[in-house]
Amino acid sequence: MKTNAEKLPSPWVSVIPLAVLTGLLYVVIRAFGGEAINGGSQIALLSATSVCVMLSIGIYRCRWAVLEEAIIDNIRASASAIVILLLIGAIAGTWMISGVVPTMIYYGLQILHPSFFLVASCAICAVVSLMTGSSWTTIATIGVALMGIGQAMGFSEGWVAGAIISGAYFGDKLSLLSDTTVLASSTAGVEVFTHIRYMLYTTVPSMLIALGVFTVAGLALDHGVSTHAEMYAATLAATFRITPWLLAVPLATGMLIARKLPAIVTLFSSVVFACAAMLLAQPELVARVAGVGELDFMSGFKGVLMTCFGPTAIPTGAPQLDELVATRGMAGMLNTVWLIICAMCFGGVMTGSGMLRSLTSIFLRWVRRAFSAVASTVGAGIFFNLCTADQYISIILSGRLFRDLYADRGLEPRLLSRSVEDSATVCSVLIPWNSCGMTQATVLGVSTFVYAPYCIFNIVSPLMSLLVAAVGWNIKRKK
């Protein structure tokens, strides 16, 4: 990616686009609330992008071709994430209408005790994400089912989403199959097994704190009475055909993940499995989606496709349950896709103009000892997530920025890779305009501002990284 190498912008000028973005997003969110993603946030991002472009060209004579190339590189890097997001939309629709998610919710209500639901949800997502290496896939499948169970039990959607995200990002962070784990270790020049082992010093204590908080919250919170959950279970059984055979769909999906197939291939296959299950187990619902009384080939084809790409609403007789089983399909992801593209435009011009490099130079001035190095890395990881709105770009930039500096200070590269993961990886989901924050808010149907305070693991992780660095636990200098 080319950058403006002629003259590095002043940090005071470079912060203007970021300040404009922050101010506009504040006003947009105050004005539109949860509907900000429908267009207001996108306009804010493009407005901040235009401010960056005007400053770059007007003051520093940066060529438009350089900025354009940076935008294209950013959007190209996010292309696979956009396809995955669309497939997740299809999974949300097909897994619901086929009865897969209702079946998981139904049996979950029978098995999980309300008092320990939050900690169990966190642990389940941690195990699944650890095995799959994907927080996105875990949240889009198991997480969606757990959201339904939690709502049926009367828990606040913020607490449920926080438990799901905490567990999913813990497993993703420590999984050998995780792309972010491999990316962080390779960027810092660390062998992946060494990287994972070293992360245990900060990741495990952070997770233990999160599990403790969710245990106490589950015991202390008023989560409704058991008859409420029983009513939900009975209504689901009356609306959908509930059978253990439908669990073959998530089981088959898990097997594909275990074979390390590409995420796009796995998710597309999962959609196909769910479509087949839909026709076999829920033909009446497929006919209802297609708008016909009796299912034939054409109406079945129409119903399946409508479930994949469009919104569906199956009346159950319970208003809260109607909202739970309603899906938006691929079309429901388009606002998020639009937002991601706009975010990539902003990140591209900030990088191409050199403004991002100018701002990050501030972090380098404070690096003297191990603690200041870790603090600067953590701060940079969070800062890059705010500016570039992309987790992968944040990991790469943080690793590249501090790699030589750690070597000059005699600090081990594994300390760098761990600090990058403790910030750039886990904090991305807490930022509303970041691709991770936008995706999980869309998938779970919970605003980032609502779930962020309850993502205990994601909040504690960067703080734990600083604490471990402050006490010098297993931090060694190279001789």
Side-chain angles (χ1 to χ4, degrees):
M1 181 186 295
K2 294 181 180 179
T3 58
N4 181 30
E6 297 179 1
K7 184 179 180 181
L8 197 64
S10 163
W12 293 105
V13 176
S14 301
V15 80
I16 293 176
L18 186 61
V20 169
L21 175 62
T22 304
L24 286 175
L25 285 175
Y26 174 78
V27 176
V28 165
I29 292 169
R30 286 291 301 271
F32 295 97
E35 302 299 320
I37 195 176
N38 294 341
S41 296
Q42 289 87 331
I43 293 175
L45 282 162
L46 291 179
S47 299
T49 300
S50 66
V51 170
C52 181
V53 170
M54 288 188 290
L55 292 173
S56 303
I57 295 177
I59 300 178
Y60 298 102
R61 298 295 185 264
C62 180
R63 293 182 296 114
W64 166 249
V66 173
L67 301 178
E68 185 179 34
E69 183 178 350
I71 292 173
I72 293 172
D73 287 344
N74 261 18
I75 294 177
R76 183 187 297 116
S78 66
S80 60
I82 289 174
V83 175
I84 288 173
L85 191 60
L86 293 174
L87 288 174
I88 288 174
I91 284 180
T94 55
W95 277 39
M96 185 64 72
I97 302 302
S98 66
V100 172
V101 171
T103 297
M104 296 170 72
I105 294 174
Y106 178 84
Y107 288 121
L109 289 172
Q110 313 297 322
I111 297 171
L112 294 176
H113 191 279
S115 297
F116 300 99
F117 170 75
L118 291 177
V119 66
S121 296
C122 185
I124 290 169
C125 288
V127 172
V128 173
S129 189
L130 186 65
M131 293 188 299
T132 63
S134 174
S135 56
W136 283 30
T137 303
T138 300
I139 293 171
T141 52
I142 304 299
V144 172
L146 290 171
M147 273 301 298
I149 298 172
Q151 290 176 353
M153 289 181 174
F155 281 101
S156 161
E157 59 183 10
W159 273 109
V160 180
I164 292 168
I165 292 171
S166 291
Y169 273 76
F170 167 83
D172 189 326
K173 189 178 174 187
L174 291 181
S175 176
L176 184 62
L177 306 178
S178 170
D179 49 2
T180 56
T181 301
V182 174
L183 181 61
S185 61
S186 60
T187 302
V190 182
E191 198 269 331
V192 66
F193 288 105
T194 301
H195 170 63
I196 292 174
R197 284 195 298 269
Y198 200 56
M199 280 199 296
L200 295 175
Y201 290 97
T202 57
T203 305
V204 171
S206 299
M207 188 58 171
L208 291 176
I209 292 173
L211 292 174
V213 171
F214 291 130
T215 300
V216 173
L219 294 171
L221 290 174
D222 180 14
H223 41 66
V225 295
S226 59
T227 54
H228 189 62
E230 291 172 0
M231 182 271 291
Y232 270 46
T235 305
L236 285 172
T239 306
F240 298 89
R241 182 171 287 112
I242 304 296
T243 168
W245 290 106
L246 288 171
L247 299 179
V249 174
L251 180 62
T253 302
M255 292 174 64
L256 293 179
I257 294 172
R259 293 179 64 87
K260 302 182 182 179
L261 292 179
I264 292 177
V265 175
T266 300
L267 293 175
F268 180 80
S269 300
S270 182
V271 172
V272 174
F273 297 154
C275 289
M278 190 192 316
L279 292 171
L280 291 173
Q282 319 289 345
E284 299 86 359
L285 296 183
V286 176
R288 185 179 300 180
V289 170
V292 298
E294 187 174 346
L295 196 66
D296 56 21
F297 175 79
M298 288 305 297
S299 60
F301 180 79
K302 178 182 178 182
V304 167
L305 260 62
M306 288 179 64
T307 302
C308 290
F309 70 74
T312 62
I314 303 298
T316 63
Q320 288 183 322
L321 202 55
D322 288 347
E323 184 178 347
L324 173 64
V325 302
T327 65
R328 294 175 292 174
M330 289 182 170
M333 298 295 176
L334 293 181
N335 279 334
T336 304
V337 170
W338 177 19
L339 192 58
I340 289 175
I341 293 174
C342 293
M344 293 303 104
C345 291
F346 177 71
V349 296
M350 286 291 290
T351 303
S353 64
M355 290 188 180
L356 195 59
R357 191 152 48 96
S358 174
L359 290 171
T360 55
S361 65
I362 300 173
F363 292 105
L364 300 180
R365 300 175 186 174
W366 302 99
V367 178
R368 295 291 183 271
R369 300 178 180 178
F371 176 77
S372 60
V374 171
S376 297
T377 307
V378 169
I382 297 173
F383 175 74
F384 286 138
N385 269 318
L386 288 166
C387 290
T388 66
D390 183 78
Q391 179 188 61
Y392 298 101
I393 296 175
S394 301
I395 291 172
I396 293 171
L397 290 177
S398 299
R400 288 179 179 175
L401 176 66
F402 289 95
R403 185 170 178 172
D404 292 338
L405 186 141
Y406 271 65
D408 293 340
R409 299 293 191 275
L411 297 171
E412 294 181 302
R414 63 177 184 170
L415 178 61
L416 170 59
S417 62
R418 185 181 74 184
S419 302
V420 169
E421 286 259 56
D422 285 339
S423 55
T425 298
V426 301
C427 294
S428 57
V429 73
L430 304 178
I431 299 168
W433 57 88
N434 190 282
S435 57
C436 292
M438 292 183 287
T439 298
Q440 307 318 336
T442 303
V443 170
L444 295 176
V446 183
S447 168
T448 311
F449 291 102
V450 173
Y451 72 64
Y454 305 100
C455 296
I456 309 301
F457 172 76
N458 305 72
I459 294 171
V460 172
S461 285
L463 301 177
M464 184 62 65
S465 189
L466 296 177
L467 177 61
V468 170
V471 299
W473 186 21
N474 201 32
I475 294 179
K476 304 174 182 177
R477 290 185 180 271
K478 294 186 294 183
K479 298 181 179 179

